[in-house]
Amino acid sequence: MQCRVYDRYGAVEGCVFASQCEHGRYHVSPEVGIVELVDHEGRPVRNGEIGEVSAQDFKARCNL
């Protein structure tokens, strides 16, 4: 599918999590990671509440 992207939201890992379409709406890309809005204690916020973006990239690797 081809569409024009007007804005995008990404994370430090270099992964684009959401892109804005020509209608001004943001579309999350679930195939690249998990995005949640959480409160100051890390709990998911309810619809309409303000929170912080918490994102996990599926490509990130843990080096133990």
Side-chain angles (χ1 to χ4, degrees):
M1 174 167 61
Q2 294 183 2
C3 64
R4 297 181 77 178
V5 174
Y6 291 83
D7 191 16
R8 63 183 177 167
Y9 181 87
V12 173
E13 291 86 359
C15 182
V16 175
F17 284 111
S19 300
Q20 184 185 40
C21 71
E22 62 190 30
H23 303 290
R25 296 182 188 105
Y26 281 88
H27 303 273
V28 176
S29 302
E31 68 277 5
V32 296
I34 297 170
V35 180
E36 291 183 287
L37 294 178
V38 298
D39 65 16
H40 65 281
E41 294 181 4
R43 295 180 300 216
V45 297
R46 295 179 182 180
N47 284 343
E49 291 183 336
I50 295 175
E52 297 180 8
V53 174
S54 174
Q56 175 60 51
D57 181 3
F58 288 148
K59 295 185 222 176
R61 294 185 180 192
C62 180
N63 296 318
L64 299 176

